[in-house]
């Protein structure tokens, strides 16, 4: 696999530079004003030559095939002209960031200090809508933060937004309710390619959108607390190349590279291609971890009115487990957290996980006229996971032994999503409307072609651990099915209307009809039925309504009602089913605004969610499997989220969040359930990140970063998980196209638990260092 990655990087490198000495070069860059805002429509030319162009909406320009030599670059706009002398072209790409002072007509090179905030999103409306006009809390994790922390796995993203915590097994807790990574969106489309417990790799991700609360209007059965939308890197018309090499604690080695540019002279066909490789990085004993990711995108401007974009992503995982390694606790009133070393393993050298996943997207857009557009978005993803590994339960304090089993299975999970929709702008009764109407069709399957096998084995003595072979020579099966098949189908239709009553008052109204079908069948080795769930068909109407008041162009106060809907996933008769689907009703009141001349963006959200028909696990020896589920009448979640991001000064940026949440059972047939809280749901979370970049003087290019994350105490099945606070830091230096940075995590080497599982907990990583050398042009 290492050789494969090296070959990919070399291919990218030679594709970018070619072979041999070049007689021409490329001049590219950006033009910004005194406030570091991108300037569009500025004419760029090399004096006394035919080479000229103009900047695009992002302030970018590029001049290709310029003969080697010295030039004077001129930037001109309406009523101003500025020049920069001694531009040298020597066969290599030259990248500039130039600041144009419109008052003095001066042009000077500057370091662009990042943190330009994304101000629009289409994830909740299917239209390019300013965040300030959306009556729902949406938090954006920008590329600068992903680069600062060298984010490779999505768990690091949770440190940048309020109220998201790891719930284990690939799930996260948002507003008191769990969201599984298989439900995450990619570019606003369903169909996550990642199998159960596997967290998305981030090499192909440009930014992350966190959607708080249900978004069922567009996506049907949905995660009630919120969801995560991963926005992939987009192809560019200009040529750009990025590569990095990292090494650090726990034998971590990582390499990443991507390239983008135009294929044809008209720049109507442009591409992005990249790859990433990682090995090591786990602090658990005998835990292997190796990841390969290959991704790409191709965009074709077929005509002035029609575009087509293809996105692809492939990941290959080889590890000791698909889950983050966990440690069992001692049974009893005192759970004995941290009684075993943090690097203790229950998996041993014989546990193995092999996963291969891919995701394909095709997005066709056509403009009928200036007001009406049609789109067809399709996605197909599939994951193939093969795992054989130990599963260990709580430790008996009398014997120091933990019961354990061997799990052996192969899981194939194909998903097909088809989303045709139409956008329109029109006036009616003196009001401006932006309407979207469409269909949402999804076929999702989870198949175990070789069945699901659970094998009883000898207990694990935690003081003297031994690990038998997998599979054992004489397996004692507690479960041994021949095949298992799940089918989940969704057909929905929706309409949403953004209404502008005036510049200050706006509304968002929506309605969806949803039809959901589910089927589950498991066969024993003799083809008899092991578990059968009769086909379940659920229908629902899902409304939403929001009102926005904008006292200024950059601020808003909003109120929103949002309904959510989730079918039950433990619905067969053997465990007490069938059950009615979960539903939720959310009310949210919020504020979005800016401070310090628009340099700081602030958000405040107050919410309350009532969730009904929540299933609770219980043991009952009279049931076929010895356990079952029962629906609670209602669970209430209420809380607050605060966020601030942007620049305190030209050089100092901040990202800070706070969340408060209370989630508890309010109504139940069993009085003992009243007031109980869910697992892994803290009341308070705090995250912060300060970043200082030197833009001039002898220390120009130096960057310093420091951040703290605090997590409150949380309930777990075995008791509670204590609170913790960890600190991280960054020091980096950029010179021309090169950058060297050092990241330190858990600086004070705190011992902590990320989450609490059934009879286990996931330990947090000890202090670690990561060194990264990167090159960009």
């Amino acid at each position: 696999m290492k050789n494969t990655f090296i070959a990919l990087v070399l291919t990218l490198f030679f594709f970018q530079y070619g072979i041999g000495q070049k007689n021409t070069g490329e001049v590219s860059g950006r033009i910004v004003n005194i406030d570091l805002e991108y300037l569009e429509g500025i004419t760029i030319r090399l004096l006394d030559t035919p080479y000229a162009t103009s900047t695009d909406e992002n302030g970018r320009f590029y001049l290709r095939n310029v003969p080697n030599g010295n030039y004077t670059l001129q930037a001109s706009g309406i009523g101003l002209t500025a020049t920069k002398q001694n531009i040298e072209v020597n066969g290599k790409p030259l990248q500039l960031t130039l600041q144009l002072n419109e008052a003095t007509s001066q042009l000077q090179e500057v370091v662009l200090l990042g943190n330009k905030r994304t101000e629009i999103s289409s994830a909740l409306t299917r239209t390019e809508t300013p965040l300030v006009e959306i009556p729902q809390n949406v938090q954006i994790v920008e590329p600068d933060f992903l680069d600062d922390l060298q984010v490779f796995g999505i768990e690091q993203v949770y440190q940048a937004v309020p109220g998201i915590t790891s719930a284990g097994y690939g799930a996260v807790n948002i507003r008191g309710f769990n969201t599984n990574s298989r439900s995450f969106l990619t570019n606003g489309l369903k169909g996550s390619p990642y199998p159960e417990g596997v967290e998305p790799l981030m090499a192909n991700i440009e930014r992350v959108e966190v959607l708080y609360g249900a978004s069922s209007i567009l996506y049907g059965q949905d995660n009630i607390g919120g969801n995560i939308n991963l926005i992939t890197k987009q192809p560019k018309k200009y040529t750009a190349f990025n590569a990095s090499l990292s090494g650090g604690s726990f034998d971590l080695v990582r390499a990443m590279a991507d390239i983008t540019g135009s294929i044809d002279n008209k720049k109507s066909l442009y591409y992005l291609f990249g790859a990433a490789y990682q090995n090591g990085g786990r602090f658990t004993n005998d835990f292997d971890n190796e990841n390969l990711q290959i991704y790409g995108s191709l965009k074709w401007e077929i005509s002035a009115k029609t575009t087509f974009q293809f996105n692809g992503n492939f990941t290959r995982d080889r590890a000791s487990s698909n889950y983050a390694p966990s440690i069992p606790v001692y049974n009893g009133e005192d759970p004995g957290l941290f009684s075993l070393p943090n690097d203790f393993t229950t998996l041993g050298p014989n546990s193995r996980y092999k996963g291969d996943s891919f995701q394909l997207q095709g997005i066709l857009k056509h403009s009928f006229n200036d007001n009406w557009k049609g789109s067809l978005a399709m996605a197909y993803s599939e994951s193939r996971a093969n795992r054989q590994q130990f599963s260990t339960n709580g430790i008996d304090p009398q014997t120091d032994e933990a019961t354990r089993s061997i799990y052996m299975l192969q899981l194939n999970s194909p998903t097909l999503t088809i989303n045709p929709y139409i956008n329109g702008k029109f006036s009616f009764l003196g009001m401006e409307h932006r309407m979207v109407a469409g269909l949402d069709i999804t076929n999702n399957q989870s198949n175990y072609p070789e069945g699901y096998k659970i094998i009883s084995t000898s207990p694990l003595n935690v003081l003297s651990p031994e690990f038998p072979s997998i599979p054992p020579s004489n397996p004692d099966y507690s479960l041994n099915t021949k095949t298992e098949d799940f089918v989940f189908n969704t057909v929905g239709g929706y309409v949403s209307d953004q209404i502008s009553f005036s510049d200050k008052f706006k509304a968002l109204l929506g309605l969806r009809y949803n039809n959901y079908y589910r089927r589950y069948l498991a066969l024993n080795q003799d083809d008899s039925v092991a578990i059968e769930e009769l086909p379940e068909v659920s229908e629902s109407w899902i409304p939403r309504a929001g009102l926005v008041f904008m006292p200024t162009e950059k601020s808003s106060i909003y109120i929103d009602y949002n309904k959510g809907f989730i079918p039950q996933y433990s619905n067969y008769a053997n465990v007490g089913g069938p059950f009615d689907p979960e539903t939720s009703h959310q009310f949210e009141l919020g504020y979005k605004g800016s401070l310090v001349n628009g340099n700081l963006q602030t958000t405040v959200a107050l919410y309350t969610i009532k969730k009904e028909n929540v299933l609770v696990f219980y043991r009952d020896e009279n049931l076929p499997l010895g356990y079952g589920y029962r629906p609670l009448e209602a669970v209430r979640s209420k809380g607050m989220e605060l966020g601030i991001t942007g620049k305190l000064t030209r050089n100092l940026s901040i990202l800070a969040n706070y969340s408060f949440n209370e989630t508890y059972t309010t109504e139940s047939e069993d009085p003992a359930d009243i007031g109980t809280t869910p697992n892994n749901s803290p009341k308070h979370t705090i995250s912060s990140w300060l970043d200082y970049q030197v833009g001039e003087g002898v220390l120009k290019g130096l960057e310093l970063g420091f951040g703290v994350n605090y997590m409150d105490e949380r309930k777990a099945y075995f008791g509670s998980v204590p609170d913790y606070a960890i600190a991280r830091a960054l020091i980096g230096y950029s010179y021309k196209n090169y950058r060297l940075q050092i990241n330190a995590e858990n600086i004070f080497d705190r011992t902590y638990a990320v989450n609490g599982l059934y009879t286990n907990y996931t330990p947090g990583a000890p202090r670690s260092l990561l060194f990264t050398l990167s090159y960009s042009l």
Side-chain angles (χ1 to χ4, degrees):
M1 188 181 293
K2 293 180 181 178
N3 293 334
T4 300
F5 180 80
I6 293 171
L8 286 168
V9 172
L10 289 176
T11 300
L12 290 174
F13 184 85
F14 286 112
F15 186 81
Q16 167 67 21
Y17 292 107
I19 300 177
Q21 179 67 34
K22 290 186 175 182
N23 295 319
T24 62
E26 176 183 288
V27 180
S28 64
R30 265 183 170 152
I31 303 294
V32 298
N33 63 14
I34 194 66
D35 294 319
L36 301 181
E37 298 172 333
Y38 304 147
L39 293 179
E40 181 181 2
I42 299 297
T43 299
I44 304 296
R45 61 169 45 88
L46 301 180
L47 294 184
D48 301 322
T49 77
Y51 297 97
T53 185
S54 60
T55 57
D56 62 16
E57 66 274 11
N58 294 313
R60 287 192 179 273
F61 67 91
Y62 37 87
L63 299 167
R64 289 191 175 89
N65 300 318
V66 179
N68 292 347
N70 293 315
Y71 298 92
T72 297
L73 183 145
Q74 181 187 80
S76 60
I78 299 177
L80 61 89
T81 300
T83 60
K84 178 176 176 58
Q85 298 181 356
N86 299 323
I87 299 297
E88 181 182 1
V89 177
N90 57 9
K92 297 179 180 179
L94 175 63
Q95 190 174 36
L96 304 167
T97 299
L98 302 173
Q99 186 180 63
L100 180 60
N101 190 323
E102 298 166 275
T104 62
S105 293
Q106 291 181 337
L107 191 67
Q108 63 179 352
E109 190 170 358
V110 296
V111 174
L112 192 58
L113 299 177
N115 289 299
K116 182 173 175 64
R117 179 174 167 80
T118 301
E119 296 181 350
I120 60 174
S121 174
S122 61
L124 290 172
T125 60
R126 294 269 190 237
T127 63
E128 297 293 327
T129 304
L131 292 173
V132 72
E133 296 182 15
I134 298 176
Q136 194 167 337
N137 192 8
V138 179
Q139 294 288 322
I140 310 292
V141 183
E142 302 286 358
D144 289 329
F145 182 85
L146 301 181
D147 290 339
D148 282 351
L149 266 63
Q150 288 296 297
V151 172
F152 192 74
I154 196 171
E155 187 167 321
Q156 292 171 280
V157 173
Y158 309 150
Q159 302 160 5
V161 290
I164 296 187
T165 59
S166 171
Y169 305 120
V172 295
N173 187 283
I174 307 176
R175 290 187 171 180
F177 303 116
N178 283 357
T179 295
N180 193 281
S181 61
R182 278 194 53 78
S183 300
F184 290 175
L185 307 169
T186 305
N187 297 320
L189 292 174
K190 292 184 291 186
S192 167
Y194 301 99
E196 178 186 7
V198 176
E199 296 184 340
L201 301 180
M202 301 290 290
N204 68 322
I205 301 303
E206 183 173 90
R207 70 177 189 274
V208 180
E209 299 179 343
V210 180
L211 318 175
Y212 288 88
S215 47
S216 297
I217 288 291
L218 296 182
Y219 306 114
Q221 62 275 5
D222 191 44
N223 298 285
I224 287 171
N227 207 343
I228 292 176
N229 184 32
L230 305 174
I231 306 298
T232 60
K233 294 177 179 177
Q234 299 297 298
K236 304 293 192 299
K237 292 184 178 182
Y238 56 86
T239 301
F241 178 75
N242 300 281
S244 66
L245 182 65
S246 303
S249 303
F250 317 118
D251 300 320
L252 173 66
V253 176
R254 180 188 301 162
M256 299 191 295
D258 60 51
I259 183 173
T260 185
S262 294
I263 295 177
D264 63 338
N265 292 330
K266 295 180 179 179
K267 300 182 178 60
S268 62
L269 187 63
Y270 38 106
Y271 71 95
L272 169 80
F273 180 72
Y277 173 79
Q278 176 176 275
N279 189 287
R282 296 286 193 175
F283 60 90
T284 302
N285 287 332
D286 295 321
F287 194 98
D288 298 325
N289 183 57
E290 187 178 39
N291 314 105
L292 173 68
Q293 184 176 15
I294 302 172
Y295 56 92
S297 182
L298 182 68
K299 188 167 184 178
W300 181 21
E301 295 180 355
I302 302 173
S303 69
K305 294 186 176 182
T306 306
T307 64
F308 176 77
Q309 182 167 335
F310 170 82
N311 303 314
N313 180 39
F314 169 79
T315 59
R316 179 181 177 90
D317 301 299
R318 298 293 183 264
S320 297
S321 173
N322 54 320
Y323 302 123
S326 60
I327 297 176
V329 300
Y330 277 87
N331 298 326
E333 294 183 4
D334 179 7
L337 248 64
F338 314 125
S339 55
L340 296 173
N342 259 18
D343 60 0
F344 182 83
T345 181
T346 62
L347 297 166
N350 300 321
S351 291
R352 286 291 179 267
Y353 167 76
K354 298 179 180 179
D356 296 291
S357 307
F358 69 89
Q359 181 181 48
L360 306 175
Q361 293 182 337
I363 305 169
L364 178 67
K365 295 184 178 182
H366 178 75
S367 297
F368 301 105
N369 53 47
D370 291 341
N371 295 323
W372 290 92
K373 301 177 181 179
S375 301
L376 174 61
M378 300 180 64
Y380 180 81
S381 64
E382 185 169 349
S383 61
R384 300 194 175 196
N386 192 314
R387 61 184 175 107
Q388 51 181 39
Q389 59 200 48
F390 292 102
S391 176
T392 307
N393 295 317
I395 308 167
D396 185 339
Q398 303 299 319
T399 63
D400 295 313
E401 291 183 339
T403 59
R404 63 179 170 180
S405 302
I406 297 173
Y407 280 68
M408 297 182 61
L409 57 95
Q410 177 182 324
L411 172 62
N412 299 340
S413 302
T415 300
L416 174 65
T417 299
I418 303 174
N419 288 156
Y421 58 95
I422 189 169
N423 299 86
K425 297 187 295 183
F426 59 92
S427 298
F428 182 68
L429 298 178
M431 297 174 289
E432 299 296 323
H433 296 258
R434 283 185 294 166
M435 189 183 73
V436 59
L439 299 176
D440 176 27
I441 304 168
T442 304
N443 173 262
N444 186 311
Q445 301 179 42
S446 292
N447 305 319
Y448 298 84
E450 298 179 4
Y452 202 113
K453 296 173 174 56
I454 303 177
I455 303 171
S456 299
T457 189
S458 58
L460 173 70
N461 188 305
V462 297
L463 301 183
S464 181
E466 295 182 356
F467 299 95
S469 61
I470 300 177
S473 55
N474 296 303
D476 177 16
Y477 292 103
S478 57
L479 178 65
N480 185 16
T481 58
K482 183 177 182 180
T483 61
E484 296 192 25
D485 299 290
F486 292 84
V487 177
F488 317 88
N489 291 336
T490 297
V491 178
Y494 60 87
V495 60
S496 178
D497 190 12
Q498 296 169 262
I499 306 172
S500 294
F501 302 104
S502 67
D503 291 339
K504 294 187 177 298
F505 287 95
K506 303 177 187 295
L508 174 60
L509 304 177
L511 182 66
R512 177 189 176 104
Y513 167 76
N514 198 76
N515 183 289
Y516 174 82
Y517 171 91
R518 171 188 163 97
R519 169 80 171 177
Y520 171 45
L521 177 64
L523 299 180
N524 292 314
Q525 293 294 329
D526 60 2
D527 290 328
S528 62
V529 174
I531 302 174
E532 180 177 21
E533 180 184 74
L534 297 177
E536 174 203 359
V537 178
S538 300
E539 294 182 307
S540 62
W541 290 93
I542 303 171
R544 78 162 300 166
L547 183 64
V548 179
F549 169 63
M550 301 182 64
T552 69
E553 184 182 359
K554 297 292 185 179
S555 65
S556 67
I557 300 170
Y558 67 88
I559 187 170
D560 181 63
Y561 166 76
N562 208 333
K563 182 178 179 181
F565 162 83
I566 303 180
Q568 302 289 2
Y569 294 105
S570 299
N571 218 23
Y572 39 93
N574 292 21
V575 294
F579 304 105
D580 291 334
E582 293 182 356
T583 58
S584 69
H585 303 273
Q586 174 180 286
F587 293 91
E588 182 174 331
L589 174 66
Y591 167 80
K592 301 176 184 182
S594 59
L595 303 170
V596 194
N597 297 321
N599 291 318
L600 285 177
Q601 287 74 42
T602 58
T603 58
V604 181
L606 306 172
Y607 62 88
T608 177
I609 306 172
K610 182 179 181 181
K611 186 178 181 183
E612 299 172 320
N613 296 320
V614 180
L615 297 187
V616 61
F617 174 88
Y618 71 99
R619 296 195 176 276
D620 186 343
E621 299 301 326
N622 295 321
L623 293 174
L625 300 180
Y627 66 87
Y629 296 88
R630 64 171 182 268
L632 297 173
E633 294 295 332
V635 174
R636 172 75 67 182
S637 170
K638 60 182 181 180
M640 172 179 62
E641 293 145 356
L642 305 176
I644 183 169
T645 182
K647 288 184 174 296
L648 294 171
T649 68
R650 179 176 178 270
N651 300 80
L652 180 63
S653 61
I654 183 174
L655 186 154
N657 298 292
Y658 167 77
S659 73
F660 168 81
N661 174 266
E662 281 188 328
T663 304
Y664 52 92
T665 302
T666 56
E667 305 172 27
S668 175
E669 294 180 355
D670 185 351
D673 291 330
I674 303 297
T676 57
T677 60
N679 297 314
N680 296 305
S681 182
K683 273 191 176 183
H684 306 277
T685 66
I686 300 172
S687 63
S688 63
W689 179 253
L690 287 171
D691 186 86
Y692 185 82
Q693 301 181 41
V694 181
E696 55 190 3
V698 291
L699 296 179
K700 176 182 175 181
L702 180 67
E703 179 180 2
L704 302 173
F706 181 80
V708 175
N709 282 82
Y710 171 78
M711 186 75 63
D712 201 5
E713 182 182 31
R714 291 140 289 154
K715 177 188 172 186
Y717 285 99
F718 52 75
S720 63
V721 178
D723 65 341
Y724 68 86
I726 57 172
R728 58 181 51 86
L730 153 73
I731 180 170
Y733 181 74
S734 300
Y735 178 73
K736 293 186 177 179
N737 300 88
Y738 296 90
R739 176 175 172 80
L740 175 66
Q741 73 179 64
I742 304 172
N743 291 83
E745 293 287 334
N746 193 2
I747 297 173
F748 303 108
D749 204 20
R750 291 289 307 274
T751 298
Y752 68 99
V754 175
N755 53 51
L757 308 174
Y758 290 95
T759 55
N760 302 53
Y761 67 93
T762 303
R767 179 170 51 231
S768 64
L769 295 175
L770 179 69
F771 299 82
T772 301
L773 176 65
S774 59
Y775 175 80
S776 301
L777 61 84

